[in-house]
Amino acid sequence: MKKILFLLLWAIALTSRGDGMADLFKAMPDSLMPYLTTNNRLDMIDFMEANMKAEVTNLLDSKSEMTALTPDSLSIRMSHVLRVDMKTVSVTEPVDSSLQVIRVVRTYQLNDKQAERVVDVYSAAWRHLSTVVEQSSLLKRDEDLMKNE
């Protein structure tokens, strides 16, 4: 466990600091958000800054909308079943140096009984650091779902 913590802190130490969420979102690799092109992401930011509805047609030929953008977070409704929330988080090492990571939460919500929340952590340079499934009911057996009706 100490080894994993050390590796995580070491990876975080390699990251840059101080980028705003809009700049981080612009620099995000296309592979991390396959629904959206780089131009889609840039348009969303421009629309939000102009106080307009930040809705674009994504690569699946449906609508995606950025619903919030602040200096340290953003939220996008990618489709009717997927929401993506991002937040920059400062992590403090025992040496008291503050480092920035990006927490990306993907919430898949099919209905009231079927949902999954996946959290990925990236460095400010978009290097993947960890993944955690915080909540999942997608793999429950049918009889478990029937009991909860």
Side-chain angles (χ1 to χ4, degrees):
M1 183 65 181
K2 288 181 183 179
K3 189 175 189 180
I4 292 171
L5 180 60
F6 172 76
L7 289 174
L8 178 63
L9 291 175
W10 177 77
I12 292 169
L14 297 176
T15 64
S16 61
R17 297 177 50 183
D19 291 332
M21 182 52 71
D23 291 333
L24 291 169
F25 189 55
K26 289 176 189 175
M28 178 185 224
D30 291 340
S31 61
L32 298 181
M33 188 129 338
Y35 276 42
L36 301 175
T37 65
T38 302
N39 286 336
N40 287 152
R41 294 195 314 267
L42 295 173
D43 287 344
M44 285 178 156
I45 292 167
D46 289 344
F47 293 153
M48 289 298 286
E49 289 174 350
N51 293 320
M52 297 170 57
K53 184 175 184 177
E55 186 175 81
V56 298
T57 301
N58 62 39
L59 291 174
L60 298 178
D61 214 23
S62 63
K63 299 294 183 183
S64 294
E65 180 184 3
M66 182 181 287
T67 56
L69 176 64
T70 68
D72 69 344
S73 67
L74 67 77
S75 184
I76 300 173
R77 184 187 42 77
M78 296 296 292
S79 69
H80 68 285
V81 296
L82 172 60
R83 188 182 82 234
V84 177
D85 299 297
M86 298 181 196
K87 179 153 180 63
T88 56
V89 180
S90 294
V91 177
T92 306
E93 283 186 291
V95 190
D96 291 332
S97 63
S98 183
L99 305 164
Q100 186 182 62
V101 297
I102 306 160
R103 185 172 188 258
V104 178
V105 180
R106 289 177 175 83
T107 306
Y108 302 89
Q109 183 80 39
L110 185 59
N111 55 41
D112 290 342
K113 294 185 176 96
Q114 293 181 306
E116 183 169 82
R117 185 175 154 136
V118 179
V119 179
D120 289 293
V121 178
Y122 296 91
S123 70
W126 291 105
R127 284 186 297 271
H128 188 258
L129 301 174
S130 70
T131 299
V132 175
V133 177
E134 285 190 346
Q135 167 192 352
S136 180
S137 60
L138 292 179
L139 300 178
K140 285 189 176 182
R141 296 183 311 202
D142 290 340
E143 57 268 16
D144 291 338
L145 291 173
M146 298 292 276
K147 289 179 192 175
N148 294 328
E149 286 188 346

